[in-house]
């Protein structure tokens, strides 16, 4: 039943994306619903099957959180793009109406400044969301390593080393994202798709190499 719903929502979202900024915003809401449904159901399934394994449960929770954060970021990005498109329409209308007089030029300049303000705010919001998603994904990966430990004497040192590597990669990713700055121009920043976080029955993995870029 869940699969039928998610397939329907995915197909509808793809159709909506073809309808311009307004359609993309509506599609983003549909995508978030799909992400929340699949992520939460997956996390609850893991927690039910291995409720006694604290590491597995925690990793599943962080993985679901990372995916949901990515979905929310997509909605905010689509909303910003919708606002930018609306301002662009106003500018084009002003060009057709006049576009030459000092008053008209000043009006268009004001609208360009408004558009830049929207883009700047969208960039900073998306940046914070990407950092939050990277933190959740890194936590899921680090904690998930310990879910697969069967022999503490031999496996624990390797698990600790693996978790440290994942943590270092996560910190590097966060540092890159935090170091980006708004350059102006172009379209409102698009949120990257949620990181691929898989939660297995005995182990959890986070592919940080394919995670969100800083762009």
């Amino acid at each position: 039943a869940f699969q039928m719903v998610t397939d329907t929502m995915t197909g509808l979202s793809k159709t909506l994306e073809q309808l311009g900024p307004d359609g993309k915003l509506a599609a983003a809401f549909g995508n978030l619903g799909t992400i929340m449904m699949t992520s939460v159901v997956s996390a609850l399934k893991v927690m039910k099957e291995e409720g006694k394994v604290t590491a597995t449960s925690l990793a599943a929770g962080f993985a679901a959180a990372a995916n949901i954060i990515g979905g929310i970021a997509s909605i905010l990005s689509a909303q910003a793009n919708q606002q930018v498109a609306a301002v662009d329409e106003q500018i084009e209308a002003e060009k057709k109406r006049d576009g030459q007089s000092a008053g008209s030029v000043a009006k268009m300049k004001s609208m360009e400044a408004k558009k830049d303000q929207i883009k700047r705010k969208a960039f900073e919001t998306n940046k914070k969301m990407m950092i939050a998603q990277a933190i959740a994904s890194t936590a899921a990966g680090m904690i998930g390593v310990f879910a697969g430990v069967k022999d503490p004497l031999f496996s624990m040192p390797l698990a600790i080393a693996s978790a440290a590597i994942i943590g270092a990669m996560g910190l590097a990713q966060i540092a890159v994202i935090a170091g980006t700055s708004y350059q102006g121009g172009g379209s409102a920043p698009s949120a990257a798709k949620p990181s691929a976080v898989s939660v297995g029955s005995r182990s959890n993995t986070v592919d940080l190499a394919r995670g969100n870029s800083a762009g």
Side-chain angles (χ1 to χ4, degrees):
F2 278 118
Q3 189 62 51
M4 289 174 62
V5 173
T6 54
D7 288 347
T8 300
M9 293 177 68
T10 299
L12 180 59
S13 294
K14 290 182 179 179
T15 301
L16 289 170
E17 288 175 355
Q18 308 302 316
L19 304 179
D22 292 340
K24 289 182 179 180
L25 177 59
F29 277 101
N31 290 333
L32 176 61
T34 301
I35 290 169
M36 291 181 67
M37 184 180 298
T38 55
S39 298
V40 173
V41 169
S42 176
L44 291 176
K45 182 179 179 181
V46 171
M47 292 176 186
K48 179 181 178 181
E49 291 179 352
E50 304 203 17
K52 295 182 180 180
V53 183
T54 304
T56 302
S57 300
L58 287 174
F62 277 117
N67 288 332
I68 292 172
I69 289 171
I72 294 174
S74 295
I75 287 179
L76 296 177
S77 178
Q79 187 177 44
N81 284 324
Q82 182 189 44
Q83 293 172 348
V84 168
V87 176
D88 281 334
E89 290 179 1
Q90 294 174 7
I91 293 173
E92 288 301 317
E94 181 62 28
K95 286 181 180 180
K96 293 178 180 179
R97 188 190 69 82
D98 182 347
Q100 300 295 326
S101 66
S104 181
V105 171
K107 186 176 181 179
M108 289 189 293
K109 185 176 181 180
S110 175
M111 288 188 285
E112 286 288 354
K114 180 182 178 180
K115 186 170 69 172
D116 187 72
Q117 184 179 14
I118 294 171
K119 291 180 181 180
R120 182 183 296 275
K121 182 179 179 181
F123 176 87
E124 294 300 330
T125 299
N126 190 59
K127 180 177 176 179
K128 293 175 183 178
M129 297 295 287
M130 289 173 68
I131 290 175
Q133 187 181 24
I135 291 173
S137 296
T138 302
M142 292 179 68
I143 296 173
V145 168
F146 296 100
V149 174
K150 297 180 180 180
D151 186 344
L153 182 62
F154 296 101
S155 301
M156 187 59 72
L158 180 59
I160 292 174
S162 299
I165 293 173
I166 293 173
M169 293 176 66
L171 288 175
Q173 182 186 30
I174 293 167
V176 170
I177 297 171
T180 59
S181 60
Y182 177 69
Q183 301 298 322
S187 61
S190 298
K193 293 183 179 180
S195 300
V197 182
S198 62
V199 182
S201 59
R202 291 300 303 173
S203 64
N204 308 276
T205 60
V206 179
D207 189 353
L208 292 177
R210 296 177 59 188
N212 292 328
S213 65

